[in-house]
Amino acid sequence: MAQTKEKQMQQKARRLINMMTLDEKISQMMNETPGIPRLGIKPYDWWNEGLHGVGRDGRATVFPQPIGMGATFNPALIRQIGDAIATEGRAKYNVAQRNNNYARYTGLTFWSPNINIFRDPRWGRGMETYGEDPFLTGTLGIAYVQGMQGNDPFYLKVAACGKHYAVHSGPEATRHEANVSPTKRDLFETYLPAFKMLVQQGHVEAIMGAYNRVYGEACSGSKYLLTDVLRKQWGFRGHIVSDCDAVADIHAGHKIVKTEAEACAIAIKAGLNIECGHTFEAMKQAVAQKLLTEQEIDRALLPLMMTRLKLGILEYDAECPYNEVKETEICSPEHIALARKAATESMVLLKNNGILPLDKNLHTLFIAGPGASDSFWLMGNYFGISNRYCTYLQGIADKVSSGTAVNFRPAFGESTPTKNTINWALDEAIAAEKTIVVMGNNGNLEGEEGESIASETRGDRVSMRLPASQMKFLRDLKARKNGIVVVLTGGSPIDVREISRLADAVVMAWYPGQEGGYALADLLFGDENFSGRLPVTFPESTDALPPFEDYAMKGRTYKYQTAHIQYPFGYGLSYTTVTYAHAKVETMPQKGRGMTVSAVLKNTGNKAVDEVAQVYLSAPGAGTTAALASLVAFKRIGLQPGEQQLVRFDIPFDRLLTVQEDGTAQLLKGNYTITVGGAAPGERTKALGISMTTTAFHL
């Protein structure tokens, strides 16, 4: 049935293309497409954002920034979020259509998710990703895409887009001219797996090319990436869009060719379908100069027509099941509850000396930090605008007893020194029974190249240290007081060495979205238990890292970094302890089939918890010719106080393969180690007292 529908729609798309003039065809291959009234085609702008909610389009539910979603390790939750975003996107599109509004950010082609690998904590856009691990990134990315695109065999609820393809993770300042030449091992082990997973398992409708070059070819004009790998090796059938003005970069930034017409020809011949930008206006010149043929343009245009037909919007399609999504779905109570659940599951408890959970009936509480009362510190980037936000200050005030004296002052500047020689906040914080200090980063300090107005490095963070103004207040406070809880905001690892020494408890809240204040208060006061886990390694400092511009993976992420780790990948505390024991191989891999391993988990405390159990594989040559360990499975396991569970994990066959220097993946002969535990295996994990259990097998 679906194949018949697909064939019918392809015939329809070809008929429409054949009826278009060359000028009309070209006009449909840039993001701002005009209507063709004689063919019944309305105007449409392909550019919309849905990174963690419908973005840049007014009222919408704002979910946690993707780095916080990564911290949930919960694919089922991420799929629900994708579905909620698609529902709101459809509802907003329906209203816009009734209003004849065809502006940018009103369409159904969402340029999300960002599945780049957060290989270096200095990258300002790392907050947009699900973290540093390709398997976690791909798994959550698949869930997000499936939620967004829906489950109809032909029609799409919205069209998702995996970006930025490929090998793209800063620096922001050089992205328009940089050339990256990773080893084939790094390419196929680290930088491409999530894209492959989205294409082959998630059936993502679109892929966005990155700004940079790979092996000398601009990513939006790379035959190797777009045709040889994406379409031929992986079987991708959707459309490929350039990042905005990336086609212009082919001649203006990378200087591969001299003219716009030549840049158009390179992009189309490489496999690009649509440009975000206006360089394709020179495509007619490319045809006239015999750099392109009209047949090549027709081939490039076909997937674009198919996407709009799958969405049911090229012309009105009564069979599309998503036509009647109501405006009442936007910011619905169900979506608000989902945003709160996601924020709760995302926050990570890094340290707790016993101060948490706080007593709701404490007598005096002081809250410090400009981020405590500012909703901007909840948002991250690529955000929508909710009709309700709960700041950290509001959430805490709502949670404590009406008899608790709560006081608040900003206390310090976001990134500038305190100019007044008198600061009442310090004395008031010292006098309080407990003090919560909200500090960290926000979208002014980190992000994309043009949005972080307080950044001198175009949104990247060349240092992981927090601004001196923030650290001075914390030091001055600690010199005269105990009972300090630090809440860190941000989308990337922070140098927390001194913060961990000064504070009695440290929470990484990320950018939790509109419900962040309620979620934080639920956690701080014990109505919910912490279950978030770090989706990125927190190094001690940037001094421990290779140069930012170096895309070699040696010395990066939990897979290759052996020292100077403050908090490891997968780490996170809770209000209880879970022990791991009796790791066992239950079924061995054979003839292309995966394997099953098990372990016994026990909640030894008196609080219920959702434990993120993680399985890591160390292959022959681990630490030399292979990664130290690789995440191959994970589950969130609910455990009641004192409960013990035997938990089984299925490991797919492809997760057992080791990528070789030539980029091929092989099942090696030799000794393997399986580690099941609460964080990535390593000396730092042991030193932090995280429980693990191991077993070995031989192939």
Side-chain angles (χ1 to χ4, degrees):
M1 190 72 175
Q3 289 179 340
T4 302
K5 184 76 170 179
E6 177 95 12
K7 188 175 180 180
Q8 291 172 347
M9 289 300 191
Q10 284 186 352
Q11 291 172 348
K12 184 171 190 174
R14 288 191 174 95
R15 283 198 303 269
L16 284 168
I17 291 170
N18 290 337
M19 294 168 67
M20 294 180 191
T21 67
L22 178 59
D23 286 332
E24 287 171 337
K25 292 172 184 177
I26 293 169
S27 75
Q28 299 298 300
M29 298 174 69
M30 291 167 278
N31 65 287
E32 297 178 74
T33 60
I36 308 177
R38 67 184 185 84
L39 298 180
I41 296 174
K42 293 181 179 181
Y44 183 73
D45 196 312
W46 291 74
W47 186 352
N48 207 346
E49 302 290 352
L51 191 67
H52 56 117
V54 178
R56 302 176 178 176
D57 188 28
R59 185 168 61 95
T61 306
V62 182
F63 295 93
Q65 189 77 8
I67 193 67
M69 293 190 206
T72 71
F73 279 70
N74 190 341
L77 175 66
I78 304 310
R79 183 166 183 160
Q80 287 180 288
I81 292 172
D83 178 65
I85 293 169
T87 297
E88 295 195 5
R90 269 284 173 175
K92 294 177 76 66
Y93 173 82
N94 292 342
V95 175
Q97 288 293 297
R98 289 200 298 269
N99 294 338
N100 295 317
N101 181 2
Y102 308 110
R104 183 174 298 169
Y105 309 129
T106 63
L108 294 174
T109 41
F110 286 87
W111 292 347
S112 303
N114 183 336
I115 52 170
N116 291 129
I117 299 303
F118 198 176
R119 65 175 177 95
D120 192 300
R122 289 167 284 202
W123 187 33
R125 297 188 72 181
M127 69 170 85
E128 300 174 27
T129 76
Y130 299 122
E132 72 185 25
D133 181 73
F135 175 58
L136 176 65
T137 296
T139 301
L140 298 185
I142 288 169
Y144 198 67
V145 167
Q146 290 175 337
M148 292 191 82
Q149 295 190 168
N151 55 13
D152 187 89
F154 177 77
Y155 290 101
L156 298 170
K157 195 171 190 179
V158 303
C161 175
K163 66 182 185 184
H164 309 82
Y165 183 71
V167 200
H168 182 79
S169 50
E172 286 292 292
T174 59
R175 65 183 185 169
H176 298 286
E177 62 264 6
N179 180 48
V180 184
S181 296
T183 66
K184 287 296 178 70
R185 175 180 161 188
D186 283 345
L187 181 69
F188 285 97
E189 181 184 75
T190 298
Y191 295 114
L192 294 190
F195 288 97
K196 183 180 180 181
M197 291 172 71
L198 257 66
V199 168
Q200 295 188 336
Q201 299 173 53
H203 306 293
V204 69
E205 181 65 15
I207 293 290
M208 176 181 282
Y211 284 117
N212 51 283
R213 280 173 286 154
V214 172
Y215 305 136
E217 290 185 310
C219 288
S220 290
S222 170
K223 179 180 178 295
Y224 174 70
L225 288 176
L226 305 188
T227 297
D228 297 346
V229 175
L230 185 59
R231 292 202 184 276
K232 292 183 177 179
Q233 289 186 28
W234 298 348
F236 178 66
R237 298 181 61 200
H239 72 266
I240 306 170
V241 59
S242 77
D243 208 337
C244 295
D245 295 321
V247 176
D249 284 344
I250 294 174
H251 73 92
H254 300 298
K255 303 189 185 304
I256 294 171
V257 292
K258 294 182 179 179
T259 69
E260 291 184 341
E262 291 173 304
C264 292
I266 283 179
I268 293 296
K269 287 178 178 293
L272 195 72
N273 301 102
I274 184 169
E275 177 205 13
C276 177
H278 300 282
T279 303
F280 273 9
E281 291 174 354
M283 203 181 297
K284 194 170 184 180
Q285 298 173 33
V287 173
Q289 295 169 20
K290 300 190 184 320
L291 300 172
L292 274 178
T293 67
E294 190 165 354
Q295 290 72 30
E296 288 172 316
I297 292 172
D298 291 350
R299 282 197 297 270
L301 183 55
L302 180 63
L304 301 177
M305 297 295 102
M306 285 301 297
T307 296
R308 292 172 76 175
L309 287 168
K310 290 176 189 177
L311 290 166
I313 63 171
L314 190 59
E315 58 186 20
Y316 181 75
D317 186 343
E319 294 183 21
C320 179
Y322 307 114
N323 289 335
E324 304 302 326
V325 179
K326 303 298 183 185
E327 187 176 0
T328 52
E329 296 282 358
I330 302 169
C331 297
S332 68
E334 293 80 10
H335 293 174
I336 291 169
L338 184 63
R340 184 166 177 169
K341 175 179 171 64
T344 302
E345 291 192 11
S346 73
M347 295 185 185
V348 182
L349 182 60
L350 299 177
K351 177 188 175 180
N352 183 22
N353 69 0
I355 189 174
L356 297 179
L358 296 171
D359 184 353
K360 296 175 193 173
N361 294 309
L362 78 171
H363 293 174
T364 56
L365 175 65
F366 189 85
I367 303 168
S373 62
D374 187 346
S375 60
F376 183 61
W377 290 58
L378 305 172
M379 293 183 182
N381 71 353
Y382 284 87
F383 46 80
I385 302 171
S386 176
N387 58 347
R388 55 170 271 165
Y389 292 94
C390 181
T391 66
Y392 302 121
L393 179 62
Q394 290 170 316
I396 293 167
D398 184 63
K399 181 64 63 173
V400 298
S401 160
S402 297
T404 300
V406 179
N407 195 6
F408 161 75
R409 292 188 188 277
F412 50 83
E414 170 188 300
S415 59
T416 55
T418 302
K419 296 180 179 180
N420 195 333
T421 57
I422 301 173
N423 187 352
W424 287 344
L426 189 60
D427 288 337
E428 291 168 347
I430 291 166
E433 191 176 338
K434 297 289 189 294
T435 297
I436 299 171
V437 183
V438 178
M439 54 197 299
N441 295 302
N442 62 35
N444 290 330
L445 300 170
E446 62 180 358
E448 197 169 0
E449 63 171 345
E451 65 185 357
S452 304
I453 57 175
S455 170
E456 296 179 352
T457 50
R458 296 197 182 176
D460 292 327
R461 295 173 57 238
V462 294
S463 171
M464 290 165 50
R465 298 185 185 92
L466 292 184
S469 56
Q470 300 188 29
M471 292 305 301
K472 182 180 185 305
F473 179 82
L474 185 61
R475 292 186 196 108
D476 291 346
L477 180 62
K478 178 61 178 178
R480 298 168 57 189
K481 180 182 177 57
N482 291 315
I484 302 170
V485 176
V486 167
V487 177
L488 294 172
T489 69
S492 55
I494 292 169
D495 184 344
V496 290
R497 290 173 296 174
E498 185 179 8
I499 295 168
S500 295
R501 290 195 299 269
L502 298 176
D504 297 286
V506 182
V507 176
M508 187 68 198
W510 313 107
Y511 298 121
Q514 67 177 57
E515 303 298 305
Y518 289 125
L520 178 68
D522 286 341
L523 292 163
L524 292 183
F525 291 89
D527 287 343
E528 297 283 353
N529 202 347
F530 284 93
S531 62
R533 300 293 182 265
L534 293 180
V536 284
T537 301
F538 273 42
E540 291 179 350
S541 73
T542 51
D543 296 338
L545 299 172
F548 188 11
E549 299 80 5
D550 183 0
Y551 271 74
M553 289 305 298
K554 182 179 180 181
R556 299 186 183 281
T557 77
Y558 77 92
K559 289 189 173 187
Y560 295 102
Q561 186 174 352
T562 58
H564 306 293
I565 295 169
Q566 183 65 18
Y567 293 119
F569 176 89
Y571 169 84
L573 302 175
S574 72
Y575 292 140
T576 188
T577 54
V578 175
T579 60
Y580 291 74
H582 309 303
K584 179 182 177 182
V585 175
E586 298 206 345
T587 61
M588 289 284 285
Q590 52 182 300
K591 295 182 180 179
R593 293 192 332 207
M595 63 186 299
T596 300
V597 301
S598 64
V600 176
L601 279 63
K602 183 175 182 179
N603 181 352
T604 59
N606 58 8
K607 282 265 193 179
V609 68
D610 279 351
E611 174 72 4
V612 178
Q614 304 153 48
V615 183
Y616 295 87
L617 177 75
S618 295
T624 54
T625 57
L628 295 162
S630 296
L631 182 70
V632 292
F634 59 89
K635 282 184 179 180
R636 288 179 69 96
I637 307 296
L639 293 170
Q640 295 298 312
E643 182 181 1
Q644 179 172 294
Q645 277 193 40
L646 175 67
V647 182
R648 291 182 173 86
F649 305 86
D650 294 323
I651 303 173
F653 181 77
D654 62 355
R655 299 299 308 145
L656 305 174
L657 306 181
T658 302
V659 178
Q660 305 300 296
E661 285 301 320
D662 64 357
T664 61
Q666 300 178 17
L667 184 65
L668 302 180
K669 294 182 178 180
N671 296 319
Y672 290 77
T673 300
I674 292 282
T675 302
V676 187
E683 293 304 314
R684 181 57 178 158
T685 300
K686 292 178 184 177
L688 289 166
I690 304 302
S691 180
M692 296 178 287
T693 179
T694 63
T695 188
F697 65 95
H698 181 84
L699 292 178

